[in-house]
Amino acid sequence: MVFTIKIKNAGKVQDVTLEDTDTGADFKLKIQHQTNIPTDKQKILIKGGKLNDDSVVKDLNLSQPVMVLGTPNNNINKVEIPKQVFLEDLNQNQLVKVSDEPSGLVNLGNTCYFNSSLQSLYRIDDIREGLKTANSTNSFVNSLKRLFDMMSKKQERINPTLFLASFRENFPQFSEQDNHGFYKQQDAEESFSQILNVLLESIHMKGKLTINLKTESKCLALPEEPVVTGQEDALKLMCHIDIKTNFLRDGLLNGLKETLIKHNDTLGSDAEYEITKTITKTPKYLIVHFVRFYWRRDTQKKSKILRKVQFPFELDISEMLDESIKPTKAKFRDDLRKIEKDNFEMVRDFKKAKKDDSLSPLQQQEEDQLKLESIKSKFEDDFNSLLKEHNIDEQLDSLTENPSSVYKLSSIITHAGSSADSGHYQSFAKDEGDLEDEHWWKFNDEKISRVSRDKIEQLSGGGESDSALLLIYKASGL
């Protein structure tokens, strides 16, 4: 809400336009713009005492003109004060910025690991929506709920101090300080995982994120022994990196097979066992962890594997599936690709369509939004029809499992540097408003910018620059 305050300076009364959230510092800056009196030279007389920089102006008693004293400096470089404009007056590019740009998070001192974790968790639709309706007695969950509520309002920058305090209280390992009393840099993957583990139970996310695996254990020294089968759950697929790992697929397949030593009763001694895992349930969201950090005893630090490992925007995990589900997942995948092709052609036609010059920017935005909603609605109808054809009783909006084997990349947490406890973490997320997946958001703490798909492809590593650490995929079509 905009309001006006009168100031009196050099015998003249002038109007200063402010907004509800403006502080004393903002007020002084606008006075400088109108009077040329530098902010540090201003003497502002208000009823009740001094105007502090952090005071919220609308809460002060300013019904009478405010007296401003000070000597103007006509050579001062004026700070440009944004002119008040109405939504109807903005062009299309400005409208996108106003309506779509997400919130940044202030770095509170080596908290980029924390901010990047929060931005990626916020991009998981079901976590965001689940927190909105959560009725929890857990203060940690409620604190995160309040923070996400602030982020949903798309403020320019948000200070996450309250949730950071709750986070460190619940996980004291993130309160570690150096010899100078400063909080240390931490591992974003550990931060992400700790927060996620709390949310799994509190907002019932377990079914949408948990991977079910079948394990087969075979003794290599006694191949005639029966294979022992079992089951286990995981929240992430591990991409193990060695000198032969060039692509995500290679690392994931390596992560589903391991060799270990354990006691064999028949031999009466230890023996080598090969453990093979296959996926028996494909969750709605698939989290992939590049295992880039390892502990070096000589430096007493988590060092980083700098090898370049390419990852796809579309991940098909069919060769990692158990034979019990592979045929049905592959059939749904092939049928889904047909309706996705139709959807892509509709989006392409929409992009090529000529704009109506008789519409205002706001009217054009509303018209475009209606067309996009129509395209989305048709896709949802086609998807629900496909579920019926495959005898799946659920609807699109209630699915917790991926009916196919294909996932689309949704967000990324990256690390720049050579060790986990130094360097810089950032996150990147797909712009959900872009149906062609060409534009992404880059979250560098409070600094938010748009980047192209080409930039995302450069996050595969190969040096100390930004390297993907966590990938969050979402089931194709969901």
Side-chain angles (χ1 to χ4, degrees):
M1 180 178 174
V2 176
F3 62 101
T4 301
I5 291 176
K6 293 186 180 299
I7 64 169
K8 191 172 182 178
N9 172 251
K12 296 179 181 179
V13 176
Q14 302 180 55
D15 289 338
V16 176
T17 302
L18 298 166
E19 295 183 8
D20 279 352
T21 55
D22 280 352
T23 63
D26 299 321
F27 188 25
K28 290 177 181 178
L29 195 60
K30 293 186 179 183
I31 291 173
Q32 173 183 296
H33 181 73
Q34 291 189 207
T35 66
N36 284 354
I37 303 174
T39 56
D40 59 337
K41 303 296 184 183
Q42 295 171 14
K43 292 183 180 179
I44 301 173
L45 307 179
I46 65 171
K47 187 176 181 180
K50 184 180 177 183
L51 176 68
N52 295 317
D53 283 353
D54 57 356
S55 301
V56 179
V57 180
K58 75 177 182 65
D59 295 335
L60 302 175
N61 182 4
L62 300 176
S63 56
Q64 299 297 318
V66 176
M67 183 68 72
V68 177
L69 304 177
T71 303
N73 179 357
N74 293 324
N75 295 320
I76 192 170
N77 292 320
K78 290 188 178 182
V79 177
E80 187 65 29
I81 304 296
K83 182 182 177 182
Q84 292 293 326
V85 292
F86 295 98
L87 190 62
E88 289 82 358
D89 298 325
L90 298 177
N91 62 40
Q92 190 170 16
N93 290 334
Q94 290 170 320
L95 281 167
V96 170
K97 181 176 178 61
V98 168
S99 60
D100 290 343
E101 188 165 303
S103 301
L105 297 172
V106 177
N107 191 315
L108 301 171
N110 283 336
T111 58
C112 57
Y113 73 93
F114 176 73
N115 289 343
S116 59
S117 298
L118 290 172
Q119 291 288 9
S120 284
L121 286 165
Y122 184 82
R123 304 302 133 192
I124 299 177
D125 300 342
D126 286 275
I127 287 181
R128 190 170 66 247
E129 295 304 315
L131 278 172
K132 279 184 184 178
T133 57
N135 185 19
S136 176
T137 57
N138 186 321
S139 61
F140 178 83
V141 173
N142 288 329
S143 180
L144 181 59
K145 178 180 179 178
R146 286 190 292 272
L147 178 61
F148 275 17
D149 181 58
M150 292 168 65
M151 292 171 70
S152 71
K153 294 172 182 170
K154 299 184 179 178
Q155 301 172 33
E156 185 177 350
R157 60 204 295 267
I158 293 171
N159 189 319
T161 300
L162 293 178
F163 182 64
L164 178 61
S166 179
F167 174 70
R168 285 174 172 159
E169 181 182 351
N170 281 269
F171 306 106
Q173 65 268 35
F174 294 96
S175 297
E176 189 179 3
Q177 299 177 1
D178 61 21
N179 295 332
H180 303 288
F182 296 108
Y183 286 105
K184 289 185 176 181
Q185 177 72 287
Q186 300 284 350
D187 188 332
E189 185 276 325
E190 292 179 2
S191 167
F192 179 94
S193 298
Q194 293 286 20
I195 298 171
L196 184 61
N197 282 328
V198 174
L199 295 177
L200 287 178
E201 300 295 339
S202 57
I203 59 172
H204 310 296
M205 283 295 299
K206 198 168 185 178
K208 296 176 182 179
L209 285 157
T210 303
I211 309 157
N212 296 150
L213 299 158
K214 181 174 83 174
T215 62
E216 293 185 340
S217 177
K218 181 171 73 173
C219 180
L220 297 180
L222 293 173
E224 66 275 12
E225 268 197 352
V227 173
V228 177
T229 62
Q231 292 183 342
E232 66 179 55
D233 295 338
L235 281 177
K236 296 186 284 286
L237 284 183
M238 301 298 183
C239 176
H240 290 278
I241 303 172
D242 58 29
I243 58 172
K244 295 180 181 179
T245 310
N246 296 313
F247 300 95
L248 176 63
R249 169 190 171 274
D250 305 330
L252 291 178
L253 290 173
N254 286 341
L256 292 174
K257 185 173 288 189
E258 63 179 322
T259 302
L260 53 82
I261 305 295
K262 62 179 182 177
H263 184 77
N264 182 281
D265 292 337
T266 304
L267 295 174
S269 63
D270 289 343
E272 231 182 18
Y273 281 78
E274 182 181 76
I275 313 297
T276 305
K277 301 174 184 178
T278 52
I279 298 171
T280 56
K281 176 182 172 292
T282 52
K284 183 174 181 178
Y285 300 93
L286 183 69
I287 301 171
V288 173
H289 177 204
F290 284 99
V291 187
R292 287 195 177 274
F293 295 128
Y294 65 99
W295 184 256
R296 283 188 58 173
R297 291 184 180 178
D298 56 339
T299 61
Q300 293 293 295
K301 288 183 178 180
K302 280 185 178 180
S303 290
K304 182 179 176 182
I305 300 172
L306 302 177
R307 186 175 182 80
K308 181 177 181 178
V309 181
Q310 295 181 349
F311 54 87
F313 287 89
E314 180 179 281
L315 176 64
D316 187 349
I317 61 169
S318 56
E319 61 184 316
M320 304 167 205
L321 300 180
D322 190 68
E323 289 299 328
S324 62
I325 65 169
K326 186 183 290 187
T328 56
K329 297 290 184 182
K331 179 65 170 65
F332 196 99
R333 174 201 62 198
D334 296 341
D335 291 344
L336 176 59
R337 281 181 172 154
K338 295 174 186 175
I339 66 172
E340 284 184 325
K341 182 175 181 293
D342 292 340
N343 187 70
F344 175 79
E345 290 174 354
M346 290 182 70
V347 172
R348 183 190 59 193
D349 292 343
F350 162 73
K351 293 285 186 181
K352 289 181 178 179
K354 186 178 179 181
K355 302 298 181 184
D356 189 343
D357 295 335
S358 66
L359 299 178
S360 70
L362 180 59
Q363 290 171 328
Q364 186 65 65
Q365 185 191 41
E366 291 173 345
E367 180 75 12
D368 290 348
Q369 192 62 40
L370 284 172
K371 289 179 180 178
L372 290 174
E373 290 300 327
S374 175
I375 293 172
K376 289 179 182 178
S377 178
K378 182 182 184 307
F379 178 80
E380 289 175 5
D381 290 343
D382 291 343
F383 197 102
N384 284 325
S385 297
L386 189 59
L387 290 171
K388 286 183 181 178
E389 290 176 20
H390 284 257
N391 299 314
I392 299 174
D393 294 333
E394 294 176 271
Q395 292 285 293
L396 174 62
D397 57 2
S398 62
L399 286 173
T400 60
E401 183 175 349
N402 185 358
S404 81
S405 60
V406 179
Y407 289 86
K408 298 290 180 66
L409 187 60
S410 175
S411 68
I412 307 170
I413 294 177
T414 65
H415 176 266
S418 58
S419 67
D421 52 6
S422 64
H424 186 57
Y425 290 96
Q426 297 186 117
S427 62
F428 297 78
K430 184 168 66 175
D431 181 355
E432 295 297 338
D434 178 19
L435 298 185
E436 293 181 308
D437 296 345
E438 290 298 324
H439 297 101
W440 287 63
W441 294 111
K442 175 184 176 180
F443 299 92
N444 181 8
D445 293 320
E446 63 263 40
K447 297 175 185 176
I448 311 299
S449 57
R450 281 181 184 269
V451 297
S452 68
R453 186 183 177 101
D454 293 341
K455 172 63 178 175
I456 303 304
E457 291 174 343
Q458 297 169 18
L459 302 176
S460 53
E464 292 189 14
S465 59
D466 284 306
S467 305
L469 180 66
L470 279 181
L471 304 175
I472 293 90
Y473 285 92
K474 187 178 181 182
S476 185
L478 272 62

